């Protein structure tokens, strides 16, 4: 009830996709939405294969631009949220652990600005840590 995304099915939130029938969403439709709105815009194919799952999950959970910013922070490059040539080059060598650390820092900054979101920190932390196993 407190989720700012509203009704959600397979990770697809009504707030982000108001015209979708979330309750009756099929797996095929969810996959198409993920590909069109997250995988392709975040350029997940350009990221090191080991990092792709966590990076894609970040695009879904935090937004494409924030996923790119976190990638840039982990790479030590300018964090502007634009996946340009410098980011693409850096994306091939960013360690999964370094990316996970930056994503956790993002959540810390988010909660500092919006303390009411602190209720999600444990779940967010578990979600990130699941990619480190």
């Amino acid at each position: 009830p407190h989720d700012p995304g509203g009704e959600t099915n397979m990770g697809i939130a009504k707030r982000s996709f108001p015209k979708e029938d979330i309750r009756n969403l099929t797996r095929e439709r969810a996959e198409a939405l993920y590909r069109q709105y997250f995988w392709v815009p975040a350029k997940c194919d350009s990221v090191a294969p080991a990092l792709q799952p966590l990076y894609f999950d970040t695009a879904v959970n935090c937004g494409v631009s924030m996923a790119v910013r976190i990638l840039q922070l982990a790479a030590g490059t300018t964090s502007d949220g634009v996946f340009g040539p410098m980011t693409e080059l850096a994306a091939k060598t960013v360690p999964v652990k370094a990316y996970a650390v930056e994503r956790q820092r993002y959540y810390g900054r988010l909660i500092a600005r919006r303390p009411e979101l602190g209720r999600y920190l444990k779940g967010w932390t578990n979600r990130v840590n699941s990619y480190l196993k």
Side-chain angles (χ1 to χ4, degrees), residues 104 107-108 111 117-127:
Q104 294 291 35
Y107 290 134
I111 292 168
L117 296 178
R119 69 176 51 150
Y120 300 110
L121 183 59
K122 183 177 180 186
W124 288 336
T125 298
N126 290 342
R127 184 173 179 157

Side-chain angles (χ1 to χ4, degrees), residues 47-85:
V47 174
L51 183 57
Q52 285 177 356
L54 178 58
Y55 177 67
F56 169 70
D57 182 71
T58 307
V60 171
N61 186 248
C62 306
V64 171
S65 179
M66 186 53 64
V68 174
R69 285 179 184 275
I70 292 169
L71 178 65
Q72 292 164 331
L73 287 168
T77 62
T78 301
S79 180
D80 61 6
V82 177
F83 199 107

